[in-house]
Amino acid sequence: FSSRRRHTRLLTQSRGLGDVYKRQGLGRVYSAQGKLEESEDVLRYAVNLEPGYWGTHLALGNFYVNFGRPAEAIDPYTRVTELNPGYAMGFSNLGAAYYYSGDVANAEKAYLRSIAIDPTEFALSNLGTMYYNTGRFEPAAEMFTQAIGITPHDFRLWGRLAFAKRFLPGLEGEAQDAFKTAIQLAEDSLGVNPNDAKAIAYIAAYYANVGETDKADTKIERAIRMAPDDPHIYYFAAHVQIVRGDLSEAMDYLERSLALGYALEAITNDPVFAELRSSDRFQALAK
């Protein structure tokens, strides 16, 4: 009898989760169609349908983050960590929600918890990026160095390390070396996939920082032609113009990047754009 009852319970749970998966799929379809209210309603229904299943809370949190509502993602992501405390990505997601909501202290705690569970290069890089954007360049460099130890051929990690060291007194030479390593690895990556516009934009910023501005200009112009609607491309184009000293052109690119959907916090917090922050245009952008 007990075995039969247990089997019945498992079947009921399976059917319930099957309905949950359907609702989550429908929520993604609505999101892709721009029907955000319908998507949120469906995802909330899925949470209420199986409140003890962490995946429903994850989907709802992801929805909020993806559509610029990180503060609202904190509660569902917290439930994910409560229901599945061994899931490192759950704490990393929670850290991102806290960070983009302006709560750096709780973001750091969540990121460190994620790293304690599983010190992936992704989690280390996330924490490093938070340190970098809050002006803590030494711990940022340490996080990126640890991430590189796990994934040594990722040019993005080398680039992040270079940017962090760029702001540390006495480490300008190490920053230049890291930029050059990032360039070499990125060029190797383009040998495999020459149509990766975002990688080309990364390389443009790296070339600018090692003084090869002609190559930087060529790369960023090519990236813009290849992906004229990608906000990341214009973000790195602004990096190139900052190095060149053309602040007005940098603002043009930042405004374009934001209009295409780039995260406002990533622009306003990036130390590379510090000298723009006092300008009227940047203040308007931040609002």
Side-chain angles (χ1 to χ4, degrees):
F1 175 75
S2 62
S3 177
R4 182 183 300 171
R5 184 166 56 190
R6 178 172 174 272
H7 181 66
T8 301
R9 185 172 67 250
L10 289 173
L11 282 175
T12 302
Q13 183 182 26
S14 176
R15 289 168 184 161
L17 287 179
D19 196 14
V20 163
Y21 297 146
K22 291 177 184 177
R23 302 284 175 173
Q24 289 177 352
L26 181 59
R28 287 192 293 270
V29 170
Y30 280 143
S31 292
Q33 294 174 341
K35 299 177 179 178
L36 303 188
E37 185 175 345
E38 292 89 340
S39 179
E40 182 178 0
D41 287 344
V42 168
L43 292 173
R44 281 188 167 277
Y45 181 85
V47 167
N48 293 329
L49 192 65
E50 288 289 340
Y53 173 53
W54 63 271
T56 59
H57 300 279
L58 178 65
L60 182 61
N62 290 344
F63 169 83
Y64 288 137
V65 167
N66 289 339
F67 291 99
R69 298 159 64 183
E72 293 174 76
I74 291 172
D75 283 345
Y77 281 158
T78 298
R79 285 296 291 149
V80 171
T81 64
E82 292 168 348
L83 293 168
N84 192 357
Y87 180 46
M89 185 63 73
F91 286 98
S92 188
N93 289 341
L94 179 60
Y98 273 126
Y99 172 65
Y100 285 113
S101 300
D103 189 342
V104 174
N106 276 317
E108 183 175 11
K109 290 177 184 177
Y111 281 139
L112 288 172
R113 183 70 181 276
S114 175
I115 290 169
I117 296 169
D118 186 12
T120 65
E121 70 277 13
F122 177 78
L124 291 163
S125 180
N126 275 349
L127 181 56
T129 299
M130 190 195 78
Y131 285 146
Y132 173 81
N133 285 335
T134 53
R136 300 165 66 183
F137 302 117
E138 190 169 346
E142 176 58 29
M143 291 300 105
F144 295 138
T145 298
Q146 290 186 37
I148 288 169
I150 299 170
T151 311
H153 301 297
D154 189 331
F155 67 85
R156 295 170 182 84
L157 293 177
W158 280 99
R160 288 167 192 153
L161 177 62
F163 278 113
K165 288 191 173 184
R166 175 183 179 221
F167 290 98
L168 287 171
L171 297 185
E172 294 84 0
E174 292 185 21
Q176 289 291 296
D177 289 342
F179 275 125
K180 290 173 183 176
T181 300
I183 288 171
Q184 184 59 59
L185 291 172
E187 293 285 14
D188 291 344
S189 174
L190 287 176
V192 177
N193 180 13
N195 296 318
D196 187 343
K198 195 179 296 185
I200 295 170
Y202 273 101
I203 298 173
Y206 303 156
Y207 272 126
N209 277 277
V210 297
E212 298 193 45
T213 52
D214 288 343
K215 289 184 179 179
D217 291 342
T218 299
K219 292 287 187 182
I220 203 63
E221 289 167 6
R222 180 184 172 199
I224 291 172
R225 287 196 303 271
M226 292 173 66
D229 295 322
D230 188 332
H232 296 85
I233 307 301
Y234 297 96
Y235 180 76
F236 284 106
H239 272 241
V240 171
Q241 295 307 318
I242 282 288
V243 176
R244 294 179 63 88
D246 191 335
L247 305 189
S248 177
E249 189 77 5
M251 281 302 312
D252 289 344
Y253 282 128
L254 287 182
E255 289 168 353
R256 179 62 175 157
S257 177
L258 186 62
L260 288 170
Y262 204 85
L264 175 63
E265 294 84 357
I267 290 174
T268 56
N269 293 334
D270 193 331
V272 167
F273 303 128
E275 60 186 303
L276 294 175
R277 289 175 184 162
S278 61
S279 72
D280 291 340
R281 288 180 69 185
F282 195 89
Q283 290 299 314
L285 191 72
K287 292 178 182 179

